[in-house]
Each structure stands twice: as structure tokens, then as C-alpha cells.
Amino acid sequence: MASTAAGKQRIPKVAKVKNKAPAEVQITAEQLLREAKERELELLPPPPKQKITDAEELNDYKLKKRKGFEDNIRKNRTVISNWIKYAQWEESLKEVQRARSIYERALDVDHRNITLWLKYAEMEMKNRQVNHARNIWDRAITILPRVNQFWYKYTYMEEMLGNIAGCRQVFERWMEWEPEEQAWHSYINFELRYKEVDKSRSIYEKFVMVHPEVKNWIKYAHFEEKHGYIARARKVFERAVEFYGEEHINENLYVAFSRFEEKQKEFERVRIIYKYALDRVPKQQAQELFKNYTVFEKRFGDRRGIEDVIVSKRRFQYEEEVKASPHNYDAWFDYLRLVESDTDADTVREVYERAIANTPPIQEKRHWRRYIYLWINYALYEELEVKDPERTRQVYQACLELIPHKKFTFAKIWLLYAQFEIRQKNLPNARRGLGTAIGKCPKNKLFKGYIELELQLREFDRCRKLYEKYLEFSPENCTTWIKFAELETILGDTERARAIFELAIGQPRLDMPEVLWKSYIDFEIEQEEYDNTRGLYKRLLQRTQHVKVWISFGQFELSIDSDDRIQRCRQIFEEANKSMQGCEEKEERLMLLESWRDFEDEFGSLTNKERVQKLLPEKVKKRRKITAEDGSDAGWEEYYDYIFPEDAANQPNLKLLAMAKMWKKQQKQEDEDEEEQEEEEEEEEEQQVPQGKEAQENSEPDEQGPAAHREEPGKEYDDRDDESSSSDSESDGEDDKDKTEETKADTEKL
């Protein structure tokens, strides 16, 4: 019965919609989502807080949580975070044995997970299970001996427990793996904390063999020196020199060795070490060694003697070079660099004064470029090395008085002087200097530097005045207009920024007008003034009909979130196509149509797609004559041209012109044939005797002859017409305007 009842059960019919007209009020998906958000339909109330009052409820709660954790683990065993959360939860319930079991199960899954071992050991230490923690650390360092974190944690735990012997044993096990340098230092510091100097020395002996680097030998020697074992420290340095030999010699080792001997007042030993090293270390690698040797001799030796030995040769070379060519500023730079490294401030000043006395003989900027850096280096030396701000100010002022500002200037000097005054906390002098620079010799770099300074000081009114002066000096600089407008935008004065943009686009001459217009349009888009943006695009299109402007206009309309954006964008493409029909640049017109086609492919219907597809041109190959520079014929070249369907509508005019020319030629040919026929008839009448019927019979064929002859040019006209139409499609052709005028003239003749 049940089966028959189920078989007889009818499937409900789908209700048919009789009225398929759209409803008056349309509901969008956005509106549905917004109403759901407002009514908070999807927000679920938070679950009620559960209070456990007896052991039975607690057991139920534990069972539920454990089941959830076990389910998560069963779904994906490799997610270690699930195991850790499970174990931490058990630990929070003081179920240490269960937590330990969970960690062991997790280690069976992934025994190379560092976090898992750390959490496991931390749990045991937190619960004061020291032996369990030791067991875990032993297992961890056995399985993963290259993880230094395990060793650090293990040794730290043993030391905190006061198990010094156990900690030392762990360190020894660690050192067998030859770990990184920091591990050795940790072991040494551990022994030193317990005054075990001999054991630290034995560790150092192993350390310098495992990591045979110069810095480690130096640390070993400093260790011996620090603990008062001078002879041992010297022995370490000597062993290091023998260890590296002459093949792997290093200047840092000898510098440290000589400084050690210098501390011990063994000046002869120091001198011998330096000379030994300088004889064996390559000169290009001995800069630091040579510098330290010079400093040592200046402190403990005969200054005049060491200067004569080391510096005199180079100074003599530079002196000869600058005497031979006093305007060779590169030689002066090298000479000054040598003098600054070895001599006192007075000698350096003397050389600087001699160098800057050689002014360029010609007042041209290209001759002054290297010379001006002498003044810059002089000022920086006085400020940074000698630390004499007053003399630095005098150097800058003398340099600025020397430069012929009426012919050229150096914005770098003015800006360096202003920055120096700011470092001296003398802001009025800095402003005065930059104001003088702008008054004497305004330059773009000066204006930019001054404006940047005032911006850093947050003096926006001064920035406005500087921008106004800058634009008076260079009104064609689009970057300045844009920066000025950006400043006003940042300050929140959008009307002022808009006025600046309006002034900018009204300038008669601009260096980058496209950048300025783009910035203005982007500004209006950021302010969401879409009507103003449309107005800007229309004004720009009145000035230029560039295809990129049209495409950008269309993309702008498409980017606006409105219902009629697609229609607006399509209308712009149609207007662009109409305006560019007379454009000579066919590639730009093709670019526009391709953009239109892409737009219709994405948003348009099938009809619109076909319509745009019909507007695309046909690519044809043509030939044109090449004319050389002297006017002679250079032959022909092939090029590709585009024939648009709108231009093809003008083809009947061209065909009419060709037909008119052909008709005129055939008319002339018919006139000549008629004249020849008449001359032949006259000659025949003179030769023959006129007889009535015979003359009439002979004349009838003659009369038919011209008529029959007239039919043949008609055929010839058709053939030539076909030839002319085909030749017109392949030839280059003339301008449409000239063709139309010729067509009108021939039509009037006809």
C-alpha cells in the first residue's frame, strides 16, 4: 500500500508566470544585501555562557572538548597547532599525564618539529617535572643536534638548577658537533662565571682549531691579556702568525699584535712587527696597517723622520704635479686627501688656500665645475674635522662672493650654505642666504631646495609665496604648478588648488601640458567632482583631438559607478569616431576603433559588436614614390595603408572622375575616326562615276560603317572603364578635395 501510495503521489506543478512584464519597483542584489545588513539578519547571537556546577557537567564538558580536539586531529594529523592546542588545554586542567600522552602522539606524527619539542619541554619545566624535561631535551638534541635552541635551553635549565657538572657535560656533547662561534663563546662564558680559567683556555684551544679565523685568535689573546697572562697572550699571537704563515697573511692580526705590544710599552717590538708586516703584506691590503704605523710613529717616534720616510715621496710627487699644472684640480684633490690624513689643521688650511687661489681663467661654468668642489671640501673640512663654524661661514661667504652670479651660479653652494646655517640653528641666516640666491640668480634647483626647507619647517604661508615667485620666474614649468596644487590639496584647500590648476592650463606656453591636464583631471576625480571632470575633458578636446584623450575620456565614464555609464562611454566613442574621420593619422583612428571594439566585447550587445566590427578598416599594401634630398627620384617604396568603410563611400566620386576622363578620350577618338571616314568617302566619289543605284548601293554600306564603328568604342569604353576602376583601387590617388573639384569640373563639361 505504501508503494502504491507513493507511486500515485503527484509531483507538484510549477506555477506558470502569466504576466512577464517587469515590476514597477525593481529590487537589486545590492539593495537586498543592504537591507539584510540593516536588519542584522545574518548576525547570530553569542552563545550563552555556561556555568559548570557539578562534576557530571564538568565531565560532559571535558568529553565534548576532547571529542572536538580528536576530530580536528583526525581530519588532519599533520597540523601540529591542533596537537599543541589540545595538549595546552589538557595542561590547563592539570591533566599533565594526558598532555604528555598528546605530545608523544604528536611526536610520532612529526618528530622534527622544533616548536613541538619546545612546548613539550616547557610544559614539563612549568610543572616542575625536571627528570621528564631532561629526558625530553636529551631526546631532542639526539634527534636534532643542529638546532642550537635546544642546546641553549638545555644548558640554561641545568645551570638554573645548579647542576654545573651536568651543564658542562651538555656543553661538551654540544662542542663535539662543532657548532657556530656563539656556542663556543657561551661555553667559555659559562666557565668564566665559575672562575674556571684553565677550562676556558682549553676551550679556546679547541675553538681556534675548529674556527681558524683571525678574530678568534685575537679574542684568545685578549682573554689571556685580560686575566694577566701577558706571556701567554704573546705566545698566542706568535702561534697565530706561524699558523697563517706568509700565504694567508692578514693585516688585522699584525695590527692587534702591535697594539698589544704597545700597551706593554714594548715600542721596539711594535716597530719590528710593523716593519715585518709591511714587508710581507701587499700594499693594496695594508692601508690600515700603514695608517696605524703612522699613528704609532707620530706618538712614540721621530715625527720628522717618519714623515720624511713615508709621506715625503708622495707629497713631492703631488707638489711637482700641481706646480706643473696649477689648474689640475684632480691633483689638488689627491694632495689634499694626503695632507688631511697625516698633518695638522694649519697645514691643511695652507694647502686649501693655495688650491682655491687657482681660479679658472675663463668665466664659463664647465671650467668651474671641478674648481667649486675645492671650496665645498674646504668648508666641510672646517665644519666636520676642525669643528670651527665661524671659519666655515667665512669659507662659504668667500666662495659666494667669488662666483660670477650674473653669468652663472651653483645652486649646490647656496643650498649647502643654508643647510650649514640650519645645523648651527641660525634659521634667519639660512633664509637670508636663499632669498639672496633667488634674487640674484633664480634657478629651479634653488626654488625647489628653498620650498623643501620651508615644508620641513611646516611654514606653509612661506611655501605659497615661494611657489608664487617660482611661477613668476618659470610659468611654463608644469611640475611646479602640479606641486603647488598638491600642497593646497594636502592643506585641504581644494578651491585654491582648483584655481591654481585653472591658471596653469590658461598659460600660453607649457613644457608638459599633457601631464598638467592629467594631474588636473586626477585631482577632480579624487574630489569625486565628475561633472567638473567631464568639463575638463571637453575643454581638452577643444584644444586637441588626440586619440588617447578620447580613450581616457571613455575609460573615465566607464569607471564611474552609475547606471548610464555604458551608454555614456559608447556615446563618447561615437563622437570620437566622427571627429577623427578627417584625421590624417589613420593609426590613431584604428587605435580608437580597437578600444571601442574591446569595450563592446566586454559590455556591448551583439548588434553593437557587429556595428563596430564593420567600422574597422582594411589593411592594404601600396606604393609611393621616394624623393631624395636633392629633389631627384629615389625610386618607389611599399607601405601599408588603411581603408575605412566611411572613406569607401567616397569611391563613387573617384569612379565618376575616371569615367569622365575615359569618355572625353573616347569622344576625341570618335571625332578623329569620323574625319578619316569622311575623307575616304570624298576620295571614292572623285574616283568613281556617279551612277544612281550603284552610287546608292555603294553609299549604304558606307553609312552603316560609321554607325557600326561607333558601337566599337562603346565596348572599348566598357573595357577601359573596368581597367580604370581597378587601377584606381591600386594607385596612390590624390587628395579627396582635389578629386572632388576635378569631378565637378568634368561633370559641368559633360
Side-chain angles (χ1 to χ4, degrees):
M1 293 294 291
S3 61
T4 55
K8 293 180 180 179
Q9 187 178 2
R10 294 182 180 179
I11 300 174
K13 294 183 179 179
V14 179
K16 294 183 179 180
V17 180
K18 296 181 180 179
N19 186 5
K20 295 184 180 180
E24 295 181 358
V25 179
Q26 295 291 320
I27 301 175
T28 62
E30 181 183 0
Q31 185 176 355
L32 292 173
L33 292 174
R34 187 168 59 251
E35 289 180 359
K37 174 78 174 166
E38 290 173 356
R39 297 179 184 179
E40 298 182 351
L41 297 177
E42 296 182 359
L43 292 179
L44 297 175
K49 294 183 179 179
Q50 184 179 3
K51 292 184 179 180
I52 299 173
T53 57
D54 56 4
E56 186 177 355
E57 289 184 3
L58 179 60
N59 292 331
D60 291 341
Y61 167 72
K62 290 180 180 180
L63 180 62
K64 182 179 178 182
K65 289 289 289 184
R66 285 174 183 143
K67 186 177 183 302
F69 281 122
E70 292 291 345
D71 289 342
N72 290 335
I73 292 170
R74 197 179 302 111
K75 289 176 185 176
N76 195 344
R77 292 171 55 82
T78 59
V79 178
I80 302 300
S81 60
N82 292 337
W83 294 96
I84 294 174
K85 290 177 184 177
Y86 190 8
Q88 288 176 345
W89 180 79
E90 292 288 359
E91 183 188 357
S92 66
L93 297 177
K94 305 301 181 182
E95 296 282 352
V96 179
Q97 189 61 36
R98 283 180 174 272
R100 192 177 292 130
S101 174
I102 293 164
Y103 276 121
E104 291 294 339
R105 288 167 60 196
L107 288 174
D108 290 339
V109 174
D110 186 5
H111 65 279
R112 303 187 68 83
N113 190 290
I114 298 172
T115 307
L116 193 58
W117 286 104
L118 293 174
K119 294 289 184 182
Y120 191 7
E122 286 173 3
M123 182 201 74
E124 297 291 1
M125 290 190 293
K126 199 182 298 180
N127 291 283
R128 301 181 182 277
Q129 300 292 328
V130 177
N131 290 329
H132 281 286
R134 284 196 182 106
N135 184 21
I136 293 164
W137 288 128
D138 280 327
R139 289 165 61 193
I141 62 178
T142 304
I143 295 173
L144 300 171
R146 292 298 179 186
V147 179
N148 294 330
Q149 195 173 5
F150 293 161
W151 295 99
Y152 284 122
K153 294 267 188 182
Y154 193 6
T155 55
Y156 179 75
M157 184 191 76
E158 293 291 357
E159 188 174 1
M160 289 296 101
L161 293 172
N163 186 11
I164 307 304
C167 183
R168 186 177 290 114
Q169 184 180 3
V170 174
F171 268 119
E172 288 294 337
R173 288 175 61 190
W174 191 6
M175 295 306 113
E176 291 176 0
W177 290 94
E178 297 183 358
E180 59 185 14
E181 296 177 7
Q182 186 58 41
W184 291 90
H185 291 311
S186 299
Y187 190 13
I188 292 167
N189 293 333
F190 163 75
E191 295 292 358
L192 290 177
R193 281 197 294 271
Y194 298 98
K195 312 299 182 185
E196 297 287 347
V197 180
D198 294 334
K199 290 184 178 179
S200 299
R201 186 179 292 115
S202 63
I203 296 167
Y204 262 119
E205 290 289 341
K206 297 177 183 178
F207 177 38
V208 295
M209 292 296 115
V210 174
H211 295 282
E213 297 177 9
V214 173
K215 60 180 182 179
N216 297 331
W217 283 97
I218 295 172
K219 287 178 182 178
Y220 186 14
H222 287 168
F223 160 77
E224 297 288 3
E225 181 186 1
K226 181 179 177 181
H227 290 86
Y229 299 99
I230 305 302
R232 287 180 178 273
R234 186 177 289 118
K235 185 67 175 176
V236 170
F237 276 119
E238 292 173 355
R239 285 175 57 197
V241 172
E242 294 176 1
F243 179 79
Y244 287 104
E246 295 185 2
E247 295 181 358
H248 304 283
I249 197 167
N250 191 296
E251 63 169 345
N252 295 327
L253 177 62
Y254 291 98
V255 170
F257 194 5
S258 58
R259 285 177 179 172
F260 163 75
E261 295 292 357
E262 185 178 336
K263 289 179 183 178
Q264 309 307 320
K265 310 297 182 182
E266 297 285 348
F267 301 128
E268 289 300 323
R269 280 178 174 271
V270 175
R271 193 171 285 110
I272 292 171
I273 291 168
Y274 275 125
K275 289 181 179 180
Y276 177 85
L278 288 172
D279 291 341
R280 287 162 176 78
V281 178
K283 300 301 180 185
Q284 63 271 16
Q285 300 177 7
Q287 300 297 325
E288 190 69 21
L289 189 66
F290 182 80
K291 182 179 178 181
N292 284 277
Y293 186 28
T294 307
V295 173
F296 166 75
E297 289 293 350
K298 285 166 63 176
R299 292 176 61 190
F300 304 106
D302 187 0
R303 178 183 173 188
R304 184 175 299 176
I306 193 62
E307 189 176 15
D308 291 341
V309 172
I310 300 174
V311 182
S312 62
K313 185 177 180 180
R314 294 174 64 190
R315 291 190 65 178
F316 177 77
Q317 292 175 350
Y318 286 132
E319 285 287 348
E320 292 295 324
E321 191 171 353
V322 296
K323 284 180 182 177
S325 177
H327 295 288
N328 184 3
Y329 300 118
D330 292 327
W332 282 109
F333 288 136
D334 295 334
Y335 189 14
L336 287 165
R337 196 177 298 114
L338 171 67
V339 172
E340 285 180 14
S341 62
D342 292 326
T343 56
D344 56 353
D346 293 333
T347 307
V348 176
R349 283 175 182 153
E350 179 186 354
V351 178
Y352 266 118
E353 293 293 338
R354 288 171 54 197
I356 61 178
N358 299 299
T359 57
I362 303 173
Q363 289 188 351
E364 291 182 8
K365 191 169 183 177
R366 59 190 180 91
H367 296 286
W368 285 64
R369 291 186 186 278
R370 296 293 292 166
Y371 169 72
I372 210 68
Y373 276 95
L374 288 172
W375 287 95
I376 294 173
N377 291 343
Y378 191 7
L380 293 175
Y381 173 78
E382 291 290 349
E383 181 185 1
L384 302 176
E385 301 294 334
V386 186
K387 301 187 184 306
D388 189 352
E390 190 58 35
R391 190 171 181 85
T392 306
R393 188 176 290 109
Q394 293 175 5
V395 171
Y396 276 120
Q397 291 173 356
C399 176
L400 293 172
E401 290 174 3
L402 182 65
I403 298 172
H405 298 292
K406 292 184 178 179
K407 294 185 178 180
F408 60 86
T409 189
F410 291 91
K412 183 185 289 293
I413 287 290
W414 292 103
L415 294 174
L416 286 173
Y417 176 47
Q419 292 166 3
F420 160 74
E421 292 292 355
I422 290 171
R423 286 194 293 273
Q424 302 303 318
K425 299 180 180 180
N426 196 345
L427 185 59
N429 277 359
R431 284 176 173 157
R432 192 180 301 116
L434 289 173
T436 305
I438 291 173
K440 281 186 177 181
C441 44
K443 286 183 67 176
N444 292 336
K445 194 173 181 180
L446 282 171
F447 278 105
K448 290 177 182 177
Y450 199 177
I451 290 169
E452 185 179 358
L453 169 65
E454 296 295 348
L455 278 174
Q456 291 175 355
L457 297 172
R458 299 298 186 266
E459 294 286 347
F460 300 114
D461 292 334
R462 288 180 177 271
C463 290
R464 287 191 176 111
K465 292 179 182 178
L466 286 172
Y467 269 120
E468 291 171 3
K469 295 288 184 183
Y470 193 0
L471 292 172
E472 289 176 7
F473 165 69
S474 177
E476 70 276 1
N477 193 337
C478 291
T479 307
T480 309
W481 289 102
I482 294 169
K483 292 290 184 183
F484 193 5
E486 286 178 357
L487 172 65
E488 296 296 345
T489 306
I490 292 170
L491 296 177
D493 198 344
T494 56
E495 292 299 325
R496 194 180 179 95
R498 188 175 287 111
I500 290 167
F501 274 121
E502 289 293 337
L503 286 173
I505 62 177
Q507 296 299 315
R509 189 180 65 176
L510 294 169
D511 54 357
M512 294 184 296
E514 64 279 359
V515 178
L516 180 63
W517 279 95
K518 185 179 183 302
S519 299
Y520 194 2
I521 290 169
D522 292 341
F523 163 76
E524 293 292 355
I525 292 173
E526 288 177 1
Q527 302 299 323
E528 297 184 357
E529 295 288 345
Y530 300 126
D531 293 334
N532 292 347
T533 309
R534 291 189 186 96
L536 282 175
Y537 270 114
K538 291 176 182 178
R539 288 164 61 187
L540 180 58
L541 289 170
Q542 290 175 0
R543 298 192 180 192
T544 178
Q545 291 289 325
H546 199 276
V547 64
K548 291 186 178 179
V549 179
W550 285 106
I551 294 173
S552 177
F553 193 5
Q555 291 174 350
F556 158 72
E557 290 291 354
L558 191 61
S559 65
I560 298 175
D561 190 7
S562 62
D563 296 333
D564 58 342
R565 63 192 183 103
I566 296 175
Q567 186 61 31
R568 283 179 177 272
C569 184
R570 185 177 291 114
Q571 184 178 357
I572 288 166
F573 277 117
E574 290 174 357
E575 292 175 4
N577 187 34
K578 289 179 183 178
S579 65
M580 296 188 70
Q581 283 183 359
C583 179
E584 296 181 359
E585 296 293 332
K586 295 184 178 181
E587 288 80 7
E588 293 185 0
R589 190 175 171 190
L590 176 62
M591 189 188 304
L592 175 70
L593 289 174
E594 287 177 347
S595 299
W596 191 3
R597 180 192 61 191
D598 296 340
F599 161 74
E600 294 294 350
D601 288 344
E602 187 173 358
F603 300 100
S605 61
L606 183 60
T607 306
N608 292 327
K609 292 178 184 177
E610 293 176 355
R611 176 189 169 196
V612 176
Q613 194 67 31
K614 291 178 181 178
L615 295 176
L616 292 174
E618 180 184 358
K619 188 176 180 182
V620 296
K621 186 187 290 186
K622 290 186 178 181
R623 297 174 63 205
R624 59 187 169 196
K625 188 177 290 185
I626 304 174
T627 305
E629 295 179 355
D630 56 353
S632 61
D633 189 4
W636 295 78
E637 71 171 355
E638 290 185 354
Y639 71 101
Y640 287 99
D641 194 10
Y642 297 95
I643 299 176
F644 291 84
E646 293 91 345
D647 298 339
N650 299 326
Q651 294 298 327
N653 296 334
L654 301 177
K655 191 171 183 179
L656 180 60
L657 174 62
M659 292 174 63
K661 289 182 178 180
M662 186 63 67
W663 178 84
K664 187 175 181 181
K665 185 176 181 181
Q666 290 177 353
Q667 197 71 20
K668 185 176 180 181
Q669 184 68 27
E670 288 177 0
D671 293 340
E672 291 177 357
D673 293 340
E674 287 178 358
E675 291 176 0
E676 291 177 1
Q677 187 69 22
E678 289 175 357
E679 289 176 0
E680 290 177 358
E681 289 177 358
E682 290 176 358
E683 289 176 0
E684 289 178 356
E685 287 177 356
E686 289 176 358
Q687 291 176 1
Q688 296 178 1
V689 179
Q691 295 179 0
K693 293 182 179 180
E694 293 178 357
Q696 291 178 359
E697 291 174 357
N698 293 332
S699 63
E700 287 176 359
D702 294 334
E703 290 176 357
Q704 294 174 358
H709 190 69
R710 286 192 189 98
E711 292 177 357
E712 293 177 1
K715 297 179 181 179
E716 185 180 357
Y717 174 82
D718 294 335
D719 297 335
R720 291 177 180 176
D721 187 16
D722 295 336
E723 293 176 1
S724 65
S725 62
S726 62
S727 63
D728 288 336
S729 63
E730 296 176 357
S731 63
D732 299 333
E734 300 176 352
D735 295 335
D736 295 338
K737 187 176 179 181
D738 297 335
K739 292 175 182 178
T740 307
E741 291 178 356
E742 290 181 8
T743 305
K744 290 180 180 178
D746 291 336
T747 306
E748 290 174 0
K749 290 179 182 179
L750 287 172

